[in-house]
Amino acid sequence: MARFFAKHKKTLTITLMMLPGALWLLVLRYIPMGGLVIAFQDYRPFPQNPTFINNIINSRFVGFDNFRFIFATDRAWNMIRNTLAYNAVFIVLTTVLAVALAIALNEITHKFFAKVYQTFMFFPFFISWVVASYFVFAFLDPTFGVLSGVRNWYLDPTGWPVILTFAHLWKSLGFNSIIYLAAITGIDQGLYEAAAIDGASKWRQVWAITIPSIKPMIIMLFIMAVGRIFNADFGLFWNIPMNMGPLQNVTEVFDTYVFRVMQSPIAGATGMATAAGFFQNVIGFVCILGANYIVRRVDRENAMF
């Protein structure tokens, strides 16, 4: 036994370090997956014994009935279009601009100014959408807003795709750029020195060294983002437009749609909400597999699996 522990000391040490995180993942992520059965039940509490397990055992199985509400109303297809279109734009713009910003930050040689810029770019990530909505309202308020003389923004949906896209970039761009900046700082500086000796300009160094070096990180984050393409940022789409009815045609996404449906007193709401979450995750899983398959066909070395 002593020889076994001596031989596998490093493996056992790493396993013990990983154990708390693995237990957390098991208890809070995998075991609760048993509750997905609610998506296929008319889940109701039973007053005689209202425990969660008893409610699941005694609730009636209804198959895929809980999934029907997702496509049941006239707003359903509009919601699906908005969710996919916004997320597609967010993924492309966030990836391109975050990489560009990270490269620009890496070129700042003065450490003080580099830290200041990083702090200002990262700060919006910690601001809640409730607070951000009042920043937007200060500009767009039809009576006292900075842009009040242009139009009544909360009655005219025309400009809201741009407003929501800008708000998303404002809040998430700094965080994403820091991730890419960390990858850039890990590049061997000897590569840049050799390129400079050969007469390569800064632009040439970026295209020949920086971009190829961080390509695995870009692809990995891109695939993960595609997996969330059917998940909308509820805080963004609910708070920034102030839940204004005239704007629903361009601001209604999957999460806000489900929330509006759940607000009405309907039977089986718990099962329907679970079905909505399950549907989102299945679509996300399929999208990850599809994106990874395409990457594997084009560049096998940089595929996630």
Side-chain angles (χ1 to χ4, degrees):
M1 183 64 69
R3 182 180 298 177
F4 174 83
F5 282 109
K7 183 178 180 180
H8 300 281
K9 181 179 179 180
K10 183 177 180 180
T11 302
L12 292 173
T13 301
I14 295 175
T15 303
L16 288 174
M17 292 174 61
M18 183 189 69
L19 191 60
L23 290 175
W24 176 88
L25 195 65
L26 176 66
V27 172
L28 297 182
R29 295 293 183 180
Y30 284 95
I31 293 179
M33 284 186 181
L36 288 175
V37 69
I38 297 175
F40 306 94
Q41 290 182 321
D42 181 17
Y43 180 84
R44 298 174 184 275
F46 290 85
Q48 300 83 359
N49 183 14
T51 60
F52 179 69
I53 299 298
N54 182 69
N55 293 339
I56 288 181
I57 293 174
N58 292 284
S59 293
R60 183 170 58 89
F61 180 79
V62 295
F64 290 94
D65 288 354
N66 288 328
F67 293 84
R68 293 179 179 176
F69 86 98
I70 298 174
F71 309 99
T73 68
D74 297 335
R75 305 197 317 269
W77 294 110
N78 180 71
M79 166 270 295
I80 293 173
R81 180 203 65 190
N82 289 344
T83 304
L84 296 177
Y86 276 118
N87 280 322
V89 172
F90 291 170
I91 291 170
V92 173
L93 289 182
T94 301
T95 301
V96 173
L97 295 179
V99 171
L101 181 60
I103 294 172
L105 289 173
N106 187 61
E107 294 300 322
I108 300 175
T109 56
H110 199 292
K111 291 186 177 180
F112 173 77
F113 289 109
K115 295 296 182 184
V116 169
Y117 295 147
Q118 290 176 31
T119 301
F120 276 105
M121 292 300 301
F122 196 56
F123 181 71
F125 180 76
F126 297 100
I127 298 177
S128 73
W129 281 121
V130 176
V131 176
S133 67
Y134 285 97
F135 291 163
V136 176
F137 188 73
F139 282 90
L140 306 183
D141 177 29
T143 305
F144 302 106
V146 176
L147 303 177
S148 59
V150 179
R151 69 179 73 169
N152 189 336
W153 298 91
Y154 290 95
L155 294 179
D156 183 2
T158 306
W160 279 94
V162 176
I163 294 171
L164 292 171
T165 301
F166 179 83
H168 171 81
L169 293 174
W170 171 77
K171 199 169 189 297
S172 63
L173 201 56
F175 176 80
N176 286 277
S177 66
I178 294 299
I179 297 175
Y180 291 119
L181 181 61
I184 292 173
T185 55
I187 300 174
D188 184 5
Q189 294 301 308
L191 298 174
Y192 293 103
E193 294 172 1
I197 292 173
D198 290 339
S201 64
K202 282 293 184 181
W203 279 111
R204 184 60 182 170
Q205 292 176 33
V206 167
W207 286 109
I209 300 174
T210 306
I211 298 297
S213 297
I214 65 174
K215 185 170 70 170
M217 176 67 73
I218 296 173
I219 292 175
M220 183 183 69
L221 293 180
F222 179 80
I223 293 175
M224 293 175 64
V226 170
R228 297 189 296 271
I229 198 168
F230 216 78
N231 292 68
D233 189 338
F234 177 82
L236 168 64
F237 290 98
W238 184 265
N239 290 296
I240 296 298
M242 295 289 187
N243 189 26
M244 295 295 181
L247 305 178
Q248 283 188 24
N249 189 50
V250 296
T251 62
E252 186 86 292
V253 290
F254 189 89
D255 296 67
T256 59
Y257 172 81
V258 172
F259 183 73
R260 292 183 201 279
V261 173
M262 294 301 106
Q263 280 186 313
S264 58
I266 55 177
T270 302
M272 294 166 65
T274 306
F278 183 61
F279 178 78
Q280 280 182 306
N281 286 288
V282 169
I283 296 296
F285 179 69
V286 172
C287 288
I288 286 178
L289 293 179
N292 186 77
Y293 174 78
I294 294 173
V295 171
R296 193 171 66 228
R297 294 295 299 269
V298 176
D299 188 357
R300 189 179 184 85
E301 292 183 359
N302 290 316
M304 289 183 63
F305 50 87

